[in-house]
Amino acid sequence: MSDTYRRGLDKQPANYSSLTPIHYLQRSATIYPEKKAVIDGAESLTYRVLYERSRTMASSLAAMGIGAGDTVSVLCFNTRELLECHYSVPMAGAVLNALNTRIDASTLAFILGHGESRLLMYDAEFSALVQQAVATLEAPPILVVIGADEGGQAPSVLTYDTMLASGDPGFHWKRVADEWDAIALNYTSGTTGDPKGVVYHHRGAFLAALSNAMAFNMSADTVYLWTLPMFHCNGWCYTWAVTAVGGTHVCLRRVQPEAVLQCIRNHKVTHMCGAPVVLNMLLNDFHQHGHTLDAPVQFALGGAAPPSPVIARAQEVGFRITHLYGLTESYGPSALCVWQDEWVRLDPGGLARKMARQGVGVLTIDEVNVAAMDDGAVVPPDGETLGELLIRGNTLMKGYLKNPAGTAEAFRDGWFHTGDLAVMHPDGYVEIKDRAKDIIISGGENISSQEIEDLLYRHPMVLEAAVVALPDDTWGEVPCACITLKENGTTIGEQDFIAYCKNNLASYKVPKRVVFGKLPKTSTGKIQKNLLRNALRA
């Protein structure tokens, strides 16, 4: 092979540097030094101040001996401190481990031990939980409390503010030498066994941030409301994406309808993200109180596809939905339901069917495919043949921490295996039908729980719905519908819903049982079907 284009054309400092999303903050602080970067309650920070605070904290971490390969865990709500840690921790060369705020003590202890955390920053609200967890560890991390600790804290515990006070705002951070180095460690919410540690690299975080900003049409005019947990896939990498475009982060400690509406109106929010449960909660509350938005707000929706009534109600309120799909292993969004101009002529039902699809790969994903579960052969693009969704590209994890077997299994045959069952449509858009573990096999027939859920969500009295398998002596298992009713839906009963399903589904897909009540969810808004299955089988 000719080396014509190799001789004298080597990488040099002038034409090559490792990709890292930390560069985005440095750039925006240079271009927009006095622009609002962060609004957190009554406090706000300019890009100049955000950069200085991040450098200051990085210098304090370095002075404590925190550096390359060290894990820094953070248990915090969506506040400026957690946002700052997305820059300060990697500036020090360390790896950020943002923790689920609904974590229990045993899981927290497992993660701190498994991730070999050197330092744990935590909101004062979690003091008792942290003390319980670290008491079980042989090598507990250094503790740093964020905010006022009303319950009293040992004098030896550091505070976030004292670390800032002792640091150097002019700290000279070094760009990571190898963009493949780890930048973040995120643990899956695993429903069985211990959670798995998903490792992100600087290159992937840089690219995911750019890709997600482009997918969401973000610009310097973007005002982003943090209704998505920053700990979840590092906030789908929008912790870095909003900064990359020079937009404004609006922090929100807890997602409550009144607080969300106030933030949207007071700060002229343009973009937000969330799970279906968040959108449903907001739409139900806004509709009940007659609230509409003064200007359209872009809402990136992860998880289950929105049924047509939800799309219609969102449009009435003022939300413009972008449907995304992804996993912790893919830095959040890996597929996007790209809008086609001709869809504007579709009726609500036709539009919902288009938007129900997870779509095509985002810019940083090379390929999206669907393969048969038995032999791995590519399924025909007929919109009907079921297979496992496979993806590959630049924004996939390095692998699972300390789990080479799990990593090899996830990446077997040159693809990342999602565990989601999907079909491929003739136009190249994929549509997920179910999680492999959630598919219901009744009398040898595969039943998609999502298909039944979509129908239930069209019922005017349904607020939330989940369908799971119920053991059955005759059929092996049958569908069971778990439903949360709207406040005015208390007069409707089990037989009403069974009759409703019989009128709209094949007989073998009709739920044989319907139970009512509040549905258990993860901190990211996903319904915990494993808990529903366990409760039904108890």
Side-chain angles (χ1 to χ4, degrees):
M1 184 176 72
S2 171
D3 63 351
T4 301
Y5 290 100
R6 294 179 183 274
R7 291 195 304 268
L9 300 174
D10 299 326
K11 294 176 183 176
Q12 303 180 48
N15 65 12
Y16 175 85
S17 63
S18 296
L19 302 181
T20 174
I22 311 311
H23 168 72
Y24 296 142
L25 179 54
Q26 181 184 41
R27 181 177 185 274
S28 288
T30 301
I31 300 171
Y32 310 109
E34 302 309 317
K35 181 180 179 182
K36 279 186 182 178
V38 186
I39 299 171
D40 189 357
E43 303 292 328
S44 64
L45 306 176
T46 64
Y47 268 107
R48 176 181 57 80
V49 173
L50 176 61
Y51 186 39
E52 287 178 354
R53 284 172 62 94
S54 299
R55 293 167 72 185
T56 301
M57 181 56 71
S59 76
S60 290
L61 291 171
M64 296 170 67
I66 303 295
D70 290 331
T71 304
V72 174
S73 301
V74 184
L75 180 58
C76 187
F77 298 104
N78 284 0
T79 63
R80 63 185 184 277
E81 288 88 358
L82 180 50
L83 181 63
E84 289 168 356
C85 285
H86 278 79
Y87 298 94
S88 62
V89 172
M91 279 179 181
V95 179
L96 174 64
N97 169 220
L99 294 160
N100 189 323
T101 54
R102 291 176 63 183
I103 203 168
D104 59 74
S106 61
T107 305
L108 175 58
F110 169 81
I111 290 175
L112 294 175
H114 184 265
E116 300 179 31
S117 181
R118 287 281 313 280
L119 184 144
L120 169 62
M121 298 184 186
Y122 62 94
D123 188 287
E125 187 171 318
F126 298 109
S127 292
L129 175 72
V130 167
Q131 294 302 324
Q132 183 182 353
V134 299
T136 66
L137 298 176
E138 293 184 5
I142 301 167
L143 299 182
V144 179
V145 67
I146 300 170
D149 185 5
E150 297 177 359
Q153 190 61 259
S156 59
V157 175
L158 295 168
T159 72
Y160 190 90
D161 288 341
T162 56
M163 287 186 68
L164 277 178
S166 63
D168 176 12
F171 176 71
H172 180 68
W173 60 277
K174 294 181 180 179
R175 184 183 287 262
V176 63
D178 186 349
E179 60 190 20
W180 187 251
D181 284 352
I183 187 173
L185 171 64
N186 294 300
Y187 280 83
T188 63
S189 56
T191 55
T192 57
D194 291 323
K196 290 180 286 194
V198 176
V199 182
Y200 291 175
H201 46 79
H202 283 255
R203 171 184 170 80
F206 179 97
L207 294 172
L210 276 191
S211 175
N212 293 344
M214 294 177 71
F216 216 4
N217 295 315
M218 287 180 156
S219 70
D221 295 325
T222 291
V223 179
Y224 181 89
L225 178 60
W226 275 103
T227 46
L228 178 78
M230 287 187 197
F231 68 74
H232 185 44
C233 309
N234 298 106
W236 295 355
C237 294
Y238 282 111
T239 44
W240 299 305
V242 176
T243 300
V245 298
T248 299
H249 300 264
V250 180
C251 294
L252 188 63
R253 192 175 177 91
R254 287 182 174 86
V255 179
Q256 297 169 329
E258 286 187 11
V260 169
L261 183 63
Q262 186 177 26
C263 283
I264 290 174
R265 289 178 170 173
N266 290 351
H267 305 304
K268 295 180 171 52
V269 169
T270 61
H271 294 75
M272 53 196 289
C273 299
V277 64
V278 173
L279 179 63
N280 286 337
M281 175 185 67
L282 296 178
L283 292 180
N284 190 55
D285 184 86
F286 290 5
H287 180 74
Q288 185 177 352
H289 294 94
H291 297 314
T292 57
L293 305 179
D294 299 329
V297 174
Q298 302 298 317
F299 194 113
L301 183 70
S308 54
V310 172
I311 295 173
R313 198 177 311 144
Q315 291 174 333
E316 291 171 6
V317 168
F319 289 121
R320 301 291 179 262
I321 296 175
T322 298
H323 188 207
L324 302 170
Y325 161 82
L327 312 95
T328 303
E329 290 87 342
S330 64
Y331 295 70
S334 58
L336 166 70
C337 189
V338 176
W339 177 270
Q340 300 288 344
D341 289 341
E342 58 267 26
W343 294 359
V344 73
R345 296 187 293 272
L346 296 173
D347 60 39
L351 178 60
R353 285 190 291 275
K354 293 292 187 183
M355 293 186 66
R357 306 180 306 172
Q358 281 59 42
V360 297
V362 296
L363 289 170
T364 54
I365 293 296
D366 294 337
E367 292 183 77
V368 175
N369 222 328
V370 179
M373 298 294 290
D374 49 3
D375 60 6
V378 175
V379 304
D382 56 11
E384 295 181 2
T385 306
L386 201 63
E388 184 183 14
L389 180 65
L390 309 178
I391 56 178
R392 59 184 173 198
N394 291 286
T395 47
L396 287 166
M397 64 174 181
K398 285 168 68 80
Y400 296 118
L401 185 68
K402 301 178 182 176
N403 188 351
T407 301
E409 174 64 17
F411 287 134
R412 69 183 185 277
D413 303 322
W415 291 90
F416 175 70
H417 292 251
T418 67
D420 284 315
L421 299 180
V423 298
M424 178 68 77
H425 286 274
D427 60 359
Y429 280 53
V430 296
E431 180 179 358
I432 292 174
K433 293 297 186 180
D434 224 329
R435 287 291 294 172
K437 63 186 177 184
D438 291 335
I439 203 78
I440 301 166
I441 305 174
S442 183
E445 297 283 356
N446 289 341
I447 301 174
S448 166
S449 63
Q450 184 173 312
E451 179 184 357
I452 306 173
E453 290 163 4
D454 285 346
L455 174 63
L456 292 172
Y457 270 110
R458 295 190 189 106
H459 195 286
M461 294 296 103
V462 171
L463 179 63
E464 295 175 344
V467 175
V468 296
L470 182 69
D472 184 86
D473 292 338
T474 302
W475 303 106
E477 54 188 25
V478 294
C480 174
C482 305
I483 296 173
T484 301
L485 294 170
K486 293 180 181 177
E487 291 182 5
N488 58 346
T490 54
T491 58
I492 195 168
E494 179 179 25
Q495 292 307 314
D496 297 299
F497 279 107
I498 290 176
Y500 170 70
C501 290
K502 283 182 177 179
N503 290 333
N504 295 277
L505 293 170
S507 59
Y508 70 93
K509 298 180 181 179
V510 174
K512 302 302 184 287
R513 184 179 172 190
V514 180
V515 295
F516 301 97
K518 189 175 181 179
L519 305 184
K521 303 181 189 71
T522 67
S523 57
T524 57
K526 294 180 181 177
I527 295 172
Q528 295 175 297
K529 289 189 174 182
N530 62 306
L531 298 185
L532 292 174
R533 282 191 289 263
N534 293 341
L536 289 169
R537 296 174 183 180

